[in-house]
Amino acid sequence: DAKTTQPNSMESNEEEPVHLPCNHSTISGTDYIHWYRQLPSQGPEYVIHGLTSNVNNRMASLAIAEDRKSSTLILHRATLRDAAVYYCIRYSGGGADGLTFGKGTHLIIQP
Amino acid sequence: NAGVTQTPKFQVLKTGQSMTLQCAQDMNHEYMSWYRQDPGMGLRLIHYSVGAGITDQGEVPNGYNVSRSTTEDFPLRLLSAAPSQTSVYFCASRQANTGELFFGEGSRLTVL
C-alpha cells in the first residue's frame, strides 16, 4: 500500500514548467510529503519535502493543498536531465518507518 | 564524502549459492535499510535498522538476513539464492527522525 496515487507517466517539453501531481487523501495531520526521483540506472535521490506550507529549494518547489489531500511537485524549467521516475511518499516520522515507494510517475522530457 | 557505498555492483549466482551484499555509510546515520527493485516496480523494503544491534523486517524479508554490528555497516545476506531474488538491491541511510534517505548506486543480482 503506497498510500499515494500518481499518474503512471507524464510528458513535457524541455525548458517548460512541469507539474507532477500526487493524491494522498488519507494523510494524517503529522505525515510529511516527500518527493524522490530516480534517474535511469541510479538509486533514488531526495528532491524535496514539506508538511503544510509550500516549499522551495534549488531543485524544485512543492505546493501542498490546503486540506493536505494532494500536492504538486513543480519543476520550473525542465531539462533533459530531469527525465526520471518521480516518487511521492508519505512519511510519518519516527525511526522505524521506512519510506513506502509506489510505482511513481515516469517523466518524459521532449527536446 | 563517499555517502553510501554498495559492493558488488554486479553479481551472478547459481540457485542455492549464498552471498553477502555489502553496504557502508560514512555519515554517522543511525537508520539504514535495504530495498529491492524489480523491473517496472517501485522499491520494496526488505530489512531496516534503527541503530547498531537493532534490526527489523520490512515488507519482503523472506530469504534475507541482516545484522548491524557497527553504525557504518549493514550487510544483506542471501543464504540460499533463488531465481525470485533476481533484482536490483539498494541500500539507504538517514538520520533518525528525518525522512531524507541517501541511497547507494545499487547492486544488480542475477540468480540462475
Side-chain angles (χ1 to χ4, degrees):
Chain A
D1 178 12
K3 307 177 186 177
T4 62
T5 304
Q6 299 176 253
N8 289 333
S9 65
M10 290 184 64
E11 199 167 314
S12 182
N13 295 320
E14 195 176 10
E15 298 186 4
E16 290 185 356
V18 180
H19 291 238
L20 296 164
C22 180
N23 180 286
H24 30 79
S25 57
T26 61
I27 195 169
S28 72
T30 56
D31 286 354
Y32 286 81
I33 298 301
H34 283 251
W35 284 82
Y36 283 74
R37 72 178 186 180
Q38 187 173 21
L39 302 172
S41 301
Q42 294 188 26
E45 64 174 340
Y46 168 82
V47 176
I48 199 168
H49 78 278
L51 183 61
T52 56
S53 306
N54 295 345
V55 184
N56 300 295
N57 66 20
R58 62 174 180 82
M59 291 181 70
S61 295
L62 176 60
I64 301 175
E66 195 168 335
D67 63 5
R68 297 203 341 114
K69 294 182 184 299
S70 65
S71 61
T72 301
L73 179 71
I74 302 166
L75 307 179
H76 294 287
R77 189 167 171 268
T79 69
L80 295 177
R81 290 175 294 179
D82 291 320
V85 178
Y86 287 78
Y87 298 98
C88 168
I89 302 164
R90 283 169 47 178
Y91 174 63
S92 58
D97 180 34
L99 297 178
T100 300
F101 288 76
K103 294 185 180 181
T105 296
H106 184 200
L107 177 63
I108 300 165
I109 304 296
Q110 296 290 353
Chain B
N1 187 354
V4 178
T5 303
Q6 291 183 233
T7 56
K9 288 186 169 48
F10 301 94
Q11 182 72 50
V12 178
L13 292 178
K14 294 180 180 178
T15 298
Q17 287 185 317
S18 63
M19 78 155 300
T20 299
L21 298 177
Q22 301 291 345
C23 177
Q25 54 93 7
D26 61 359
M27 297 172 282
N28 202 31
H29 286 169
E30 298 171 355
Y31 182 94
M32 295 186 73
S33 54
W34 276 102
Y35 291 84
R36 61 175 288 174
Q37 185 173 36
D38 300 310
M41 302 289 290
L43 282 78
R44 292 184 292 170
L45 183 65
I46 305 172
H47 283 285
Y48 65 93
S49 168
V50 298
I54 306 169
T55 63
D56 209 341
Q57 297 180 350
E59 180 187 357
V60 288
N62 292 340
Y64 307 95
N65 283 343
V66 291
S67 59
R68 185 90 181 273
S69 56
T70 66
T71 299
E72 294 78 19
D73 300 300
F74 191 44
L76 179 72
R77 297 185 185 86
L78 287 72
L79 297 179
S80 179
S84 60
Q85 294 178 303
T86 293
S87 188
V88 180
Y89 292 84
F90 291 100
C91 179
S93 74
R94 62 174 166 84
Q95 292 179 335
N97 297 325
T98 70
E100 183 179 348
L101 276 172
F102 293 82
F103 283 84
E105 294 184 349
S107 297
R108 184 176 296 274
L109 175 66
T110 301
V111 182
L112 303 175

